Amino acid sequence: MGSKKERKVIIIDQNDKNPWWWLLNKGFGALFLCISLFALLVRLAVSLHPYSGAGNPPKFGDFEAQRHWMEITTNLPVKEWYHNSTANDLSYWGLDYPPLTAYQSYVHGIFLKSFLPESVSLFTSRGHESYLGKLLMRWTVLSSDILVFLPAVFYFALSYSASRPRRHQSDVAWLVAMILLNPCLIVIDHGHFQFVLTHQVYVIFQFNCISLGLTIGAVAAIISSRELVACALFTLALSHKQMSAYFAPAFFSHLLGRCLKRRNPFLEVSKLALVVIGTFAVVWWPYLHSKEAFLEVLARLAPFERGIYEDYVANFWCTTSILIKWKKLFDNQSLRLISLVATVSTCLPSMVQQIKDPSNKGFLYALLNSSFSFYLFSFQVHEKSILLPLLPASLLALEEPLVFRWLTHFGLFSMFPLLCRDRLVLAYIALLSLFYLLFYAPRKKDSGKIRSFITFKLLVMSLLVFCSFVLHVVYMVMNPPKRYPFLFEAIIMSVCFSQFVWLALYTNTKQWLLHKQPTSLEKDKKLR
Amino acid sequence: MEDQPPKPIKELIWFSLISTSIKLLLLPSYHSTDFEVHRNWLAITNSLPLSHWYSDTTSPWTLDYPPFFAYFELFLSLFAAKIDPTIVNLHEGLNYKADSVVYFQRITVIVFDFVLHYAIYRITRKLDSTKRRLIWVLVIWSPALLIVDHMHFQYNGFLLGLLLISISALMEGRDLMGGFFFAVLLCFKHLFAVAAPVYFVYLLRHYCRGGLIKGFGRLLMMGLAVVVVFAAAFGPFVYHDQMLQVIHRMFPFGRGLCHAFWAPNFWVFYIMADKLLAFFLRRVGFNVHRPTGSFTSGLVGDSSPFAVLPQVTPLMTFMMVLLAISPCLIKAWKNPRPRKIARWIAYAYSCGFVFGWHVHEKATLHFLIPLAINAVDSINDARHYFLVSIVSCYSLFPLLFESREYPIKVTLLLLHCILMWFGFSIFSESIPTNSKKDLQKKNDELRAEEDQGISEKGSLGIGWIYKSYLLGLVAVELWGQFLHPFILGNKLPFLPLMLVSVYSAFGIMYSWIWQLKWIILYS
């Protein structure tokens, strides 16, 4: 087991003070190899745990959805993938992600077919749950992790450290560990797999590593100033999961801001637009021959017939519905409009900041802020969407360790009821403790900045952590009162929501204060 | 305060908690029949009176560990009964597979691993910080222990912890305590008795010295301590007149020379030599009878499983083990030094593994873990440990034969290799100079070199023989896992496992010879 390399550390001649010097002087590649092997081990171990929906006919769960897509894509021609027909019953786990997901299912389906044809045969394979079938499915996730997510993080780490030469290698190593060992992503991709409620069927989130990996790649490209690459990668991410749109405002405003600073803004913008449109055209090609086919796919992606929220998700609509019955006050149509306005208006400040003053650091904050807006205010959000704000938060872990820790803690906590139902409590505990252990790994302290809060703040925070701990126990041990069967879910949701709002406010402020910092630095210089 | 290194105990807790998290994640993984064995023992000790513990035959997995382990199971069963009474039910609990029993038993293993972590802390607390951490990586994050204890299922971490406590006491010069803990260990698992001659000679010469009277007094003290331990363990069974039955259960010599999977030891070569000889003699025209018995289950006294070579009896293996240990006994007699004791004990267990009767591949842990104590003493030790650790961990692979765990065991071993490689190679730089100043100088040089992109000098520098041997290991694995099923299909199903055994046996024999050489040359 060896995660150790992630600790920060140091310069070699201080080896006695730096617990990890022996791992660090082999170069970054070796270090990365070590961390990713450990991350791989953790993923493998998590995949031993049950996935929900197993042995739960007739619809099973996310696992079955993924498998079903492999079945559809390997057996039908491309044009019929999104088309309701006798061979493709869309009400049984119809494809509801953009074409790149379908292509990915196709490739994985071929992989499954070569080992176990009956696991993806049309019709007869529904609910297929053999030992080998499950194993192969797990390996498809794992291979996407290795092929997409790991290289993307590697690319990010390289461009990040290049942009901040003063950072110690050990800091970057720690950052990589934080991104790769994010408990939320691991538990959703490798543990959860699928999830069914009696009344509603949720979209699955599995294979997040692909779209998140593509997004990380795009972020890395932006940091290393390769805007065209970034556009292409982000377009791919969008064509894999429409949820990547959570990041779109940040990408858009940052790139626009950059272009505006150049000599020929119009030319720059059209170059980028060309790349975006080109990439889209390639990915969507099979569905572009007619307007109908294209709209058919689009209709599958936007499930507006569902309500504004489902279940207990810690966002604005769901939490306030305890007091205000949104669903009764407005019809679905106007709710859609309201949520759109709310989302756009809340991410507007961070967009404006980026257009005015684009910077790498500001861009990371903007990613975080826009995904927060979407998570808190957009239509039809699922618990698992917390992964999207978490991604930029983990990229910012070195700048904002506290925000990152807090968001991970409460993000994971907000999924606790979901994971509890999936019998993943054990994995939850182990992953959370692993996260905290790595976060506080023994290392040389380069400064006490992480710990420099006021005592009052510390007190409130410990109180909150304690509360969440108690709630965990209560949720598992106690039965809710008969009158309010979802009382505990509602409490967990409100606690998490309050924390998310607080964090979103904090990071928005932080982003706006960014451009002021250089001035204070200049002042310092003058004083000296 | 800022530049203070973290306190060792805090760091140790961090190391052990990291491994605990991984163990928790591995909880639902495959477990062998040993799991049911231990569950049955919980049931036996909980529901039967002491006098029937060693005569119960409800399940084929009868109690065959010494009494302390039975008491230990009794202690655990008190909790088990509270959690789920079915666990300790002798009849209904048979092959019980519910979550409760899996979680309970797995967690007891995890909890009792802290004995090992404490023991390794005792041993390393006086060392400099880098060595200390390296040893922790080797022991606390040992992939072999994870595979055997936390996947396959056994309590080796706990038992090895007792052994290491005993070794640490000896290294500190507290011989009485060391002897006491070793006696306790023997009453937990008698397979550890292989090192008893080393303990005996060492304690006799090191503890019982200082004149005839003082020496004799100390001998009495030590004898008393050991007798008290054994009386506590076996006394109740003597009282119930069960001793013969206990001993009969503890030493089942009815088993064959080798275990179902041949442990990679000397007898692998013996068997192979026999097969080859018989093959060639038949070719030449001799009438060699085909053996009727098999190596793994053949009963003693049946017709010999060997076609040409002489039959091997338990007594012979016993004598060979004793003979193999003797150089170390002589050294211990001539010059009993606390600093050498860990190596001697590790060597004794290596001998037991290489020449013992019905050795199980899991017994590699008995010398692998004690060897780790000295693995960071010198570059040669590091090289040797690098090899032996990989080989013995690899030889444990067949324990986990399901495809679900395959990537896990491979990743564990790879990670271990990389950590050892990094750890040892940097270490080799600072070996020649032990003083701190020199260490710093060295590191400055190292940094200068690194700036030029040279880091080879700090590498372990294993020779081409090592390298090709390790590459061969990869080849054996590739053959067994991928090529064999494709090329030969279902033919010769035993071949992959046999290859693993034979190939690993070379590495283990090398390690044994290396240790022997070290003992003869440097002790």
Side-chain angles (χ1 to χ4, degrees):
Chain A
M1 12 199 13
S3 63
K4 46 312 298 21
K5 59 330 267 35
E6 54 278 39
R7 33 297 303 80
K8 8 226 27 211
V9 178
I10 328 345
I11 308 182
I12 297 169
D13 52 32
Q14 289 169 320
N15 66 61
D16 242 16
K17 286 164 192 138
N18 172 5
W20 305 105
W21 64 274
W22 49 277
L23 269 173
L24 283 164
N25 63 5
K26 277 276 179 177
F28 182 70
L31 207 58
F32 186 82
L33 179 71
C34 217
I35 302 176
S36 38
L37 265 179
F38 182 68
L40 189 65
L41 176 69
V42 172
R43 283 163 166 74
L44 283 165
V46 171
S47 69
L48 296 172
H49 290 253
Y51 59 88
S52 77
N56 185 13
K59 290 204 84 176
F60 303 93
D62 283 356
F63 176 90
E64 169 64 8
Q66 295 291 341
R67 199 210 49 72
H68 178 66
W69 297 345
M70 294 176 193
E71 168 196 335
I72 292 296
T73 48
T74 44
N75 288 300
L76 298 179
V78 183
K79 283 176 190 162
E80 287 177 33
W81 287 353
Y82 290 90
H83 184 72
N84 203 8
S85 66
T86 47
N88 183 12
D89 176 12
L90 286 183
S91 66
Y92 183 85
W93 296 119
L95 256 173
D96 48 10
Y97 282 116
L100 198 59
T101 297
Y103 304 147
Q104 164 239 315
S105 294
Y106 177 70
V107 173
H108 286 148
I110 291 190
F111 168 73
L112 252 75
K113 206 172 187 169
S114 62
F115 285 94
L116 194 68
E118 63 267 30
S119 68
V120 287
S121 58
L122 204 54
F123 296 126
T124 54
S125 65
R126 286 194 182 179
H128 182 93
E129 276 180 0
S130 66
Y131 181 85
L132 185 60
K134 281 191 264 190
L135 206 64
L136 291 172
M137 290 286 288
R138 294 285 197 195
W139 286 354
T140 57
V141 193
L142 211 64
S143 60
S144 342
D145 235 343
I146 296 172
L147 293 177
V148 181
F149 198 69
L150 283 185
V153 174
F154 187 66
Y155 181 29
F156 173 78
L158 283 185
S159 46
Y160 184 83
S161 50
S163 75
R164 282 174 181 68
R166 276 173 40 239
R167 281 283 176 201
H168 278 300
Q169 206 178 42
S170 53
D171 285 340
V172 181
W174 180 81
L175 178 64
V176 169
M178 286 293 114
I179 302 174
L180 285 181
L181 285 156
N182 190 322
C184 301
L185 179 65
I186 297 176
V187 86
I188 292 297
D189 268 14
H190 298 269
H192 175 81
F193 228 109
Q194 70 157 48
F195 164 57
V196 189
L197 278 188
T198 41
H199 55 296
Q200 286 136 344
V201 179
Y202 277 128
V203 206
I204 355 118
F205 232 60
Q206 189 242 312
F207 286 106
N208 295 297
C209 48
I210 296 186
S211 62
L212 293 183
L214 291 168
T215 311
I216 293 183
V219 173
I222 287 206
I223 289 180
S224 49
S225 296
R226 298 196 181 101
E227 282 103 1
L228 297 180
V229 180
C231 279
L233 284 175
F234 185 65
T235 313
L236 287 177
L238 263 179
S239 322
H240 190 266
K241 296 242 147 130
Q242 59 270 41
M243 277 73 169
S244 306
Y246 283 30
F247 300 125
F251 275 96
F252 173 76
S253 55
H254 180 79
L255 289 173
L256 184 66
R258 272 199 190 185
C259 292
L260 291 180
K261 296 238 152 152
R262 305 241 167 97
R263 230 190 306 156
N264 202 341
F266 183 73
L267 183 74
E268 297 285 338
V269 172
S270 45
K271 263 199 319 203
L272 296 181
L274 215 63
V275 172
V276 172
I277 294 172
T279 318
F280 262 124
V282 171
V283 175
W284 289 68
W285 186 251
Y287 307 99
L288 294 179
H289 61 278
S290 77
K291 201 178 153 198
E292 268 167 37
F294 181 67
L295 287 180
E296 200 171 52
V297 179
L298 275 193
R300 292 293 308 156
L301 304 187
F304 279 132
E305 69 282 6
R306 296 180 186 174
I308 186 160
Y309 59 86
E310 282 169 4
D311 211 34
Y312 286 86
V313 51
N315 77 352
F316 176 77
W317 307 113
C318 192
T319 310
T320 50
S321 71
I322 299 175
L323 305 170
I324 310 164
K325 301 293 167 206
W326 297 104
K327 283 183 180 173
K328 283 182 193 154
L329 278 177
F330 302 96
D331 63 6
N332 224 350
Q333 185 70 33
S334 41
L335 273 180
R336 246 179 271 166
L337 200 67
I338 297 174
S339 67
L340 181 70
V341 171
T343 312
V344 172
S345 56
T346 45
C347 65
L348 216 53
S350 94
M351 287 177 72
V352 171
Q353 195 273 340
Q354 274 307 291
I355 293 173
K356 264 178 64 185
D357 184 20
S359 69
N360 285 340
K361 207 166 157 188
F363 171 59
L364 292 177
Y365 279 101
L367 284 172
L368 182 55
N369 290 329
S370 77
S371 50
F372 256 138
S373 312
F374 273 83
Y375 178 80
L376 292 174
F377 295 105
S378 74
F379 194 80
Q380 249 290 317
V381 174
H382 190 272
E383 280 107 314
K384 287 173 269 180
S385 305
I386 193 64
L387 282 181
L388 294 151
L390 252 174
L391 180 77
S394 60
L395 301 183
L396 273 168
L398 275 179
E399 323 281 343
E400 296 284 354
L402 191 63
V403 169
F404 172 59
R405 199 195 83 197
W406 209 239
L407 185 60
T408 309
H409 182 96
F410 283 95
L412 202 56
F413 184 38
S414 74
M415 292 191 288
F416 184 65
L418 175 81
L419 300 173
C420 233
R421 258 171 282 162
D422 287 359
R423 297 191 296 134
L424 282 169
V425 179
L426 185 74
Y428 179 95
I429 297 170
L431 284 173
L432 189 61
S433 49
L434 198 59
F435 168 74
Y436 271 103
L437 285 168
L438 295 179
F439 191 88
Y440 290 116
R443 62 202 197 208
K444 183 176 163 284
K445 287 180 196 131
D446 28 18
S447 74
K449 66 182 172 187
I450 303 181
R451 294 298 183 84
S452 63
F453 342 115
I454 318 154
T455 3
F456 172 69
K457 208 163 153 190
L458 198 65
L459 193 74
V460 174
M461 289 180 58
S462 353
L463 202 69
L464 278 164
V465 171
F466 179 72
C467 271
S468 73
F469 175 73
V470 172
L471 275 172
H472 279 112
V473 178
V474 166
Y475 186 82
M476 281 200 298
V477 178
M478 283 174 56
N479 284 323
K482 283 227 172 74
R483 262 187 77 195
Y484 305 104
F486 294 107
L487 177 71
F488 297 146
E489 277 94 344
I491 296 177
I492 291 177
M493 174 186 79
S494 325
V495 171
C496 294
F497 173 69
S498 62
Q499 297 314 304
F500 295 157
V501 169
W502 183 83
L503 286 174
L505 286 176
Y506 173 79
T507 50
N508 267 297
T509 328
K510 204 64 200 259
Q511 191 191 341
W512 268 93
L513 292 178
L514 267 186
H515 72 280
K516 290 191 183 152
Q517 276 173 352
T519 31
S520 65
L521 269 181
E522 277 161 27
K523 269 183 205 161
D524 279 356
K525 273 181 200 160
K526 276 177 200 161
L527 281 176
R528 272 179 214 156
Chain B
M1 193 55 208
E2 251 186 33
D3 280 354
Q4 285 288 315
K7 287 211 180 84
I9 188 76
K10 266 182 152 175
E11 252 183 271
L12 180 96
I13 292 174
W14 187 85
F15 271 76
S16 71
L17 286 181
I18 286 272
S19 75
T20 304
S21 313
I22 296 295
K23 290 167 194 170
L24 281 176
L25 283 176
L26 288 175
L27 208 140
S29 62
Y30 158 85
H31 51 79
S32 70
T33 47
D34 275 345
F35 183 82
E36 170 62 12
V37 172
H38 284 88
R39 196 221 45 82
N40 187 45
W41 293 354
L42 286 176
I44 290 178
T45 51
N46 192 270
S47 46
L48 293 177
L50 188 134
S51 53
H52 290 71
W53 285 359
Y54 284 89
S55 49
D56 177 75
T57 48
T58 318
S59 153
W61 312 118
T62 51
L63 190 53
D64 55 7
Y65 275 26
F68 270 177
F69 204 87
Y71 301 153
F72 172 67
E73 294 280 3
L74 177 65
F75 169 72
L76 294 181
S77 72
L78 299 179
F79 300 97
K82 289 229 163 64
I83 289 167
D84 182 356
T86 321
I87 300 176
V88 293
N89 191 307
L90 205 48
H91 301 281
E92 283 170 29
L94 283 181
N95 295 314
Y96 191 47
K97 286 265 163 62
D99 276 358
S100 61
V101 62
V102 175
Y103 281 42
F104 176 77
Q105 295 214 78
R106 290 274 198 208
I107 288 173
T108 56
V109 181
I110 295 174
V111 168
F112 282 92
D113 256 6
F114 287 109
V115 175
L116 176 71
H117 299 172
Y118 167 72
I120 203 68
Y121 171 69
R122 274 187 67 110
I123 289 180
T124 54
R125 60 188 163 181
K126 299 264 164 58
L127 290 175
D128 83 57
S129 58
T130 308
K131 284 189 181 181
R132 194 167 63 212
R133 287 186 202 106
L134 282 177
I135 295 179
W136 291 350
V137 169
L138 298 180
V139 175
I140 299 181
W141 290 341
S142 159
L145 262 180
L146 262 179
I147 289 176
V148 175
D149 273 16
H150 301 278
M151 299 172 81
H152 178 81
F153 197 84
Q154 266 191 352
Y155 288 92
N156 289 299
F158 168 52
L159 300 172
L160 286 166
L162 290 176
L163 178 68
L164 292 194
I165 290 179
S166 158
I167 292 179
S168 79
L170 293 184
M171 287 166 80
E172 289 161 16
R174 300 159 77 178
D175 291 346
L176 190 61
M177 182 178 158
F180 172 79
F181 271 99
F182 186 66
V184 171
L185 175 68
L186 289 187
C187 294
F188 269 101
K189 191 171 181 179
H190 50 303
L191 287 180
F192 282 95
V194 181
V198 178
Y199 267 90
F200 180 75
V201 171
Y202 176 81
L203 289 176
L204 192 67
R205 294 287 295 167
H206 189 260
Y207 183 63
C208 311
R209 63 187 167 177
L212 197 62
I213 299 179
K214 194 181 168 201
F216 192 69
R218 286 188 158 199
L219 184 64
L220 274 184
M221 283 277 286
M222 182 62 76
L224 194 69
V226 173
V227 167
V228 165
V229 171
F230 275 78
F234 292 94
F237 297 94
V238 174
Y239 175 79
H240 289 289
D241 206 15
Q242 285 281 311
M243 262 326 270
L244 275 179
Q245 179 66 17
V246 173
I247 291 181
H248 173 72
R249 281 281 171 83
M250 278 169 52
F251 299 96
F253 277 117
R255 296 180 188 173
L257 174 64
C258 288
H259 192 260
F261 164 71
W262 303 346
N265 62 10
F266 173 77
W267 301 115
V268 167
F269 295 117
Y270 194 79
I271 295 171
M272 293 308 291
D274 179 68
K275 296 251 182 222
L276 289 178
L277 267 179
F279 179 76
F280 284 117
L281 288 181
R282 260 184 229 121
R283 272 290 167 87
V284 179
F286 284 91
N287 181 20
V288 179
H289 76 100
R290 280 184 191 279
T292 47
S294 89
F295 308 100
T296 54
S297 59
L299 294 173
V300 193
D302 281 9
S303 64
S304 162
F306 296 102
V308 186
L309 295 177
Q311 152 104 317
V312 179
T313 63
L315 189 66
M316 280 170 64
T317 61
F318 180 73
M319 297 310 291
M320 285 188 72
V321 172
L322 215 55
L323 191 70
I325 300 180
S326 55
C328 148
L329 296 181
I330 294 168
K331 292 284 181 184
W333 180 272
K334 280 193 189 148
N335 187 9
R337 303 245 315 267
R339 289 196 44 202
K340 301 270 165 33
I341 188 68
R343 285 177 193 274
W344 290 335
I345 291 171
Y347 173 72
Y349 285 124
S350 306
C351 296
F353 183 83
V354 170
F355 298 109
W357 179 263
H358 196 85
V359 173
H360 205 284
E361 67 270 30
K362 287 172 271 188
T364 51
L365 284 173
H366 295 182
F367 60 88
L368 192 60
I369 300 295
L371 274 177
I373 301 170
N374 294 103
V376 289
D377 280 3
S378 73
I379 179 72
N380 281 329
D381 283 305
R383 270 186 207 139
H384 164 248
Y385 191 82
F386 184 73
L387 184 84
V388 72
S389 165
I390 293 175
V391 173
S392 40
C393 181
Y394 177 68
S395 72
L396 294 172
F397 271 20
L399 283 179
L400 307 172
F401 52 86
E402 290 194 19
S403 41
R404 197 172 63 149
E405 278 80 16
Y406 185 76
I408 297 186
K409 61 186 184 184
V410 174
T411 318
L412 274 173
L413 182 56
L414 277 180
L415 200 52
H416 186 61
C417 291
I418 292 182
L419 285 175
M420 278 200 296
W421 181 262
F422 285 8
F424 288 159
S425 55
I426 296 200
F427 204 72
S428 63
E429 275 299 297
S430 58
I431 294 268
T433 56
N434 276 331
S435 84
K436 279 222 168 137
K437 252 192 189 164
D438 284 355
L439 202 71
Q440 295 229 335
K441 226 199 230 162
K442 273 277 170 195
N443 280 313
D444 285 343
E445 283 165 23
L446 195 71
R447 193 153 59 127
E449 277 168 18
E450 222 197 21
D451 289 344
Q452 301 156 22
I454 307 167
S455 57
E456 269 313 299
K457 212 176 172 186
S459 84
L460 207 47
I462 57 173
W464 63 271
I465 302 183
Y466 264 46
K467 275 185 197 147
S468 40
Y469 179 77
L470 291 176
L471 280 177
L473 216 59
V474 178
V476 168
E477 181 62 14
L478 286 178
W479 168 263
Q481 286 298 324
F482 305 103
L483 298 178
H484 184 94
F486 275 109
I487 297 174
L488 293 176
N490 290 331
K491 278 183 276 177
L492 304 175
F494 56 88
L495 188 64
L497 281 187
M498 208 173 81
L499 271 178
V500 174
S501 269
V502 176
Y503 199 78
S504 317
F506 281 105
I508 300 287
M509 288 302 282
Y510 165 80
S511 158
W512 176 71
I513 292 168
W514 187 91
Q515 291 183 63
L516 179 65
K517 193 178 110 195
W518 194 93
I519 283 173
I520 292 176
L521 290 183
Y522 303 106
S523 274

